Amino acid sequence: MIIQSKNFSLKQIAESGQLFRMKQIENNKYSLIAYEKYLELTQLDECTIELTCSTKEYEDIWKDYFDMDFDYDMIVEKLKNGDDTFLKKAAEFGSGLRILRQEPFEVLISFIISQNKNIPGITNCVTKLCERFGERKEYIDNSGNITVYYTFPRPETLANASVEEIRQTGLGYRDEYVKNAAKAVLQKEIDLEELKKSKNKDAVEKLKSLHGVGDKVANCVSLYGLHHIDAFPIDIWISRVLEDVYGNDFDLSKYRGYEGIVQQYMFFYIRNKAKEKTG
DNA sequence: GCCCAGGTGGGAG
DNA sequence: CTCCCACATGGG
């Protein structure tokens, strides 16, 4: 099926660092695994995207996943017309970014893995984790071609796996963090669906009670997994922006209610600027 | 080989 | 409270 939308760039979303299971398969064409489904998406033009799913599946899953009911254009216009030159450029540069509504458990585990790793490294670990502990599935397209894919592991699978087995997926010292977090979710010491309903601040605090989850990872889980768009994760890149561009005097309160979207545009822009320099 | 990566826990001061 | 370091692994 085909959808029309402003501010929806597959390339930008795939490279945004908020998800690790979307990859480019051709020019303007991407695959994505989420909610136990496999989907291919093609950017036909700036506002047109083709999806390999039924209208029903789109309505049931992907419409919500891509947060289609939120007006990102309103935010982008606000930043473009604001008085902050850095955010102005960031909004122009990354105008197709959206904050996805991913599965909270997947986001929690993925961002525990993310610490002290670069994005290609995280992607590799997440892929291996899914291949080792996820469920093997097949996607069959209209021509009968079969694509094998793996779902994200369930909490019980990771909670019951040994740390040695988990470490085989290249997680290093994070193996215990992953197992313990899975156990906490399985035993309902932490209820991620419940945390969606609470305030960002309370969700972050609760997430930080997990071993291996600090301020940054908790804010990422809150933003990308619980859709608290007022979360503002500060990683090494954002930290550099806050220091180099704003002299540690950035007034976040000007962007109340959508801090996380501002963060996403900052992150995407500064990373791509860094890429230009190194080639 | 070397440095660094969407950090965090733990210990010292 | 704020430094400081080890941590396991792989990408560039």
Side-chain angles (χ1 to χ4, degrees):
Chain A
M1 68 169 295
I2 290 180
I3 58 168
Q4 299 275 342
S5 174
K6 285 184 81 174
N7 300 96
F8 193 157
S9 162
L10 295 178
K11 180 179 160 62
Q12 289 177 11
I13 291 168
E15 294 174 3
S16 69
Q18 64 179 303
L19 78 174
F20 304 101
R21 307 205 72 200
M22 182 172 182
K23 69 174 185 188
Q24 187 170 19
I25 49 179
E26 285 172 34
N27 208 13
N28 298 323
K29 189 168 182 180
Y30 295 80
S31 68
L32 169 66
I33 303 162
Y35 290 93
E36 312 210 338
K37 300 281 186 189
Y38 175 91
L39 179 70
E40 289 178 2
L41 311 96
T42 310
Q43 188 101 37
L44 299 176
D45 65 48
E46 201 183 323
C47 299
T48 314
I49 288 165
E50 184 175 7
L51 313 172
T52 57
C53 68
S54 64
T55 309
K56 183 181 186 321
E57 186 177 307
Y58 173 74
E59 292 292 335
D60 288 349
I61 299 176
W62 303 112
K63 187 180 175 189
D64 185 60
Y65 183 86
F66 287 107
D67 201 22
M68 298 308 285
D69 287 331
F70 187 82
D71 187 1
Y72 284 86
D73 197 42
M74 187 252 302
I75 305 291
V76 171
E77 285 305 313
K78 216 182 255 191
L79 296 178
K80 279 184 184 171
N81 298 322
D83 56 4
D84 185 316
T85 49
F86 182 82
L87 286 180
K88 220 179 247 198
K89 280 188 275 185
E92 278 162 18
F93 186 79
S95 62
L97 290 168
R98 314 177 74 82
I99 307 287
L100 308 180
R101 292 178 184 267
Q102 301 182 66
E103 292 175 88
F105 181 67
E106 174 172 342
V107 175
L108 172 61
I109 299 301
S110 298
F111 278 90
I112 286 175
I113 293 171
S114 80
Q115 65 174 259
N116 214 22
K117 267 189 178 300
N118 54 26
I119 292 180
I122 303 163
T123 305
N124 284 338
C125 282
V126 171
T127 302
K128 280 188 203 165
L129 197 72
C130 293
E131 287 172 356
R132 176 70 181 76
F133 298 105
E135 188 185 337
R136 184 185 188 277
K137 290 206 165 204
E138 292 180 349
Y139 167 78
I140 305 170
D141 71 14
N142 291 333
S143 319
N145 299 312
I146 298 173
T147 302
V148 172
Y149 68 98
Y150 294 85
T151 63
F152 196 86
R154 294 159 195 260
E156 59 195 84
T157 311
L158 292 177
N160 294 326
S162 69
V163 286
E164 289 79 13
E165 283 178 299
I166 295 175
R167 181 162 288 205
Q168 282 169 15
T169 57
L171 267 61
Y173 65 89
R174 306 165 192 79
D175 53 5
E176 284 192 50
Y177 298 163
V178 166
K179 184 178 163 74
N180 288 337
K183 207 189 280 180
V185 170
L186 179 66
Q187 296 173 348
K188 298 204 187 296
E189 286 165 34
I190 188 160
D191 185 337
L192 296 170
E193 288 305 320
E194 199 58 37
L195 290 183
K196 280 186 179 176
K197 298 173 200 157
S198 66
K199 290 187 173 173
N200 170 53
K201 205 181 153 192
D202 298 330
V204 166
E205 197 180 334
K206 181 70 184 174
L207 288 163
K208 282 169 76 173
S209 69
L210 295 169
H211 203 225
V213 177
D215 210 44
K216 188 270 171 182
V217 168
N219 272 279
C220 281
V221 176
S222 191
L223 178 58
Y224 305 131
L226 308 175
H227 208 78
H228 291 308
I229 60 170
D230 53 332
F232 191 82
I234 299 176
D235 72 324
I236 180 130
W237 294 94
I238 296 294
S239 174
R240 281 177 200 152
V241 171
L242 296 182
E243 186 175 343
D244 299 346
V245 180
Y246 297 99
N248 287 327
D249 198 28
F250 180 68
D251 187 5
L252 192 56
S253 68
K254 283 200 261 183
Y255 309 97
R256 195 153 286 161
Y258 56 101
E259 292 92 329
I261 300 177
V262 171
Q263 191 272 5
Q264 189 67 20
Y265 280 87
M266 269 186 182
F267 178 78
F268 186 74
Y269 183 53
I270 198 67
R271 275 198 79 238
N272 279 278
K273 266 177 62 162
K275 269 192 221 165
E276 281 171 25
K277 281 184 192 168
T278 52

